[in-house]
Amino acid sequence: MIVTTAGRPDEESMALAKAACIKLSLPFKDRKKRSVSAMIQEYGAEILVAGKNRYAFYTSTESEPFFFHPNSAAFRLKRMMKGEVDPFVETAGIDKGDTILDCTLGMGSDCIIASFAAGAQGKVRGCEVHPVIAFIVQEGLRLYKDGSQELLEAMRRIEVIPRDSLEYLKEQPDKTVDIVYLDPMFEEVIEESDNFQSLRAAGFHTQLSEEWVNEAKRVARKRIILKAHFRSDLFEQFGFERKVRLASKFHYGTMTI
């Protein structure tokens, strides 16, 4: 993997490229007006591009890059501010001041909603095992500037853990997190955006296991939440109470501790 800049680099993109090289211990290659696809072929490597206020991750298998964007979190938060109930927040039973551990951070949309619901006194952490995806989301949560003040504040409060979530759970003391959230991305595609497809291609996907659920039970104080495709049998397999959502491609499952 290598780091480069946008086609016409400025001081900001050069600074972002340098920061990525240092943080991820990756080499830098000057763009020299080359296309990303040409650089992928020339170096035989995946490429992290530092642009204006954001990073984009290109692989050889996907035509679209992965980059951070709050996606559905932006309009979900707007609805919440108007008094509407978010299904995830309702199912998880998130209260002000709660601590939430998202074991499958992905693009961070649910973490943003959890952060808003838990408020300034809450604490939201998200695990992402792919170091580059974790870096892009972490920096995106920090650098993103569009959106309401409430959205940006919720984003800034999230802590990204660049770790395998099972290994991270094993290190946590008993009953130290109010809610543990599991959203494994290995069965069927739920989201349909190009950005989500690139995330699936780039990320590591670990199947839900009894060990993973048992560690979540040990660490959680209130409940564990599972998100999976509506055709999934994970809810029944691991003892979650399925919350059917007739108009949605995915269901939530709850396990009260």
Side-chain angles (χ1 to χ4, degrees):
M1 188 178 299
I2 60 176
V3 178
T4 191
T5 61
R8 296 182 178 179
D10 55 15
E11 290 185 6
E12 182 179 14
S13 61
M14 288 299 298
L16 288 177
K18 181 178 180 180
C21 289
I22 294 172
K23 180 71 174 181
L24 299 170
S25 300
L26 294 175
F28 175 81
K29 298 295 181 181
D30 197 326
R31 184 68 175 266
K32 296 180 180 179
K33 298 183 180 180
R34 292 172 292 182
S35 68
V36 171
S37 59
M39 293 183 72
I40 289 175
Q41 290 185 351
E42 179 177 350
Y43 295 106
E46 297 175 333
I47 297 181
L48 180 63
V49 176
K52 186 176 182 179
N53 288 325
R54 79 171 198 182
Y55 295 94
F57 180 40
Y58 292 81
T59 70
S60 59
T61 59
E62 292 295 313
S63 59
E64 298 295 328
F66 172 77
F67 57 90
F68 174 81
H69 189 279
N71 292 295
S72 63
F75 63 78
R76 288 167 64 188
L77 192 146
K78 286 183 180 179
R79 291 175 179 173
M80 291 175 67
M81 291 177 64
K82 292 179 180 178
E84 296 185 31
V85 176
D86 184 84
F88 168 60
V89 174
E90 181 179 44
T91 302
I94 300 174
D95 296 318
K96 296 294 183 185
D98 273 350
T99 57
I100 299 105
L101 175 61
D102 184 345
C103 290
T104 43
L105 175 66
M107 297 173 70
S109 295
D110 287 325
C111 262
I112 296 171
I113 295 302
S115 178
F116 176 74
Q121 301 305 313
K123 183 175 183 179
V124 178
R125 288 170 284 170
C127 288
E128 171 54 56
V129 66
H130 194 299
V132 176
I133 299 299
F135 175 76
I136 291 174
V137 175
Q138 182 180 52
E139 291 302 293
L141 291 167
R142 182 178 69 87
L143 296 172
Y144 192 81
K145 296 179 180 179
D146 296 331
S148 67
Q149 186 66 25
E150 291 82 1
L151 175 68
L152 299 182
E153 288 177 356
M155 289 165 58
R156 304 295 191 258
R157 290 194 295 265
I158 296 168
E159 179 184 1
V160 176
I161 310 295
R163 297 277 308 282
D164 174 80
S165 60
L166 177 56
E167 295 306 312
Y168 183 74
L169 277 169
K170 288 179 178 179
E171 297 173 2
Q172 306 311 301
D174 295 356
K175 308 305 176 188
T176 50
V177 175
D178 291 308
I179 298 161
V180 176
Y181 180 45
L182 308 171
D183 177 14
M185 297 183 296
F186 60 88
E187 291 192 301
E188 299 190 51
V189 176
I190 294 174
E191 308 265 359
E192 296 176 346
S193 70
D194 290 337
N195 200 26
F196 192 84
Q197 297 306 322
S198 61
L199 171 61
R200 287 177 62 88
F204 301 115
H205 311 300
T206 304
Q207 292 193 358
L208 193 64
S209 65
E210 185 174 351
E211 182 181 23
W212 198 4
V213 174
N214 285 339
E215 286 298 322
K217 286 181 187 177
R218 181 184 62 78
V219 173
R221 279 193 293 255
K222 293 183 177 180
R223 62 191 63 86
I224 308 168
I225 305 299
L226 171 67
K227 176 183 177 181
H229 197 276
F230 72 90
R231 285 192 286 260
S232 175
D233 63 358
L234 292 176
F235 304 101
E236 292 76 21
Q237 181 180 349
F238 291 100
F240 287 84
E241 180 183 352
R242 184 192 293 259
K243 305 293 184 181
V244 176
R245 305 176 67 230
L246 296 177
S248 177
K249 290 185 178 180
F250 64 87
H251 292 167
Y252 290 115
T254 62
M255 184 183 295
T256 303
I257 305 303

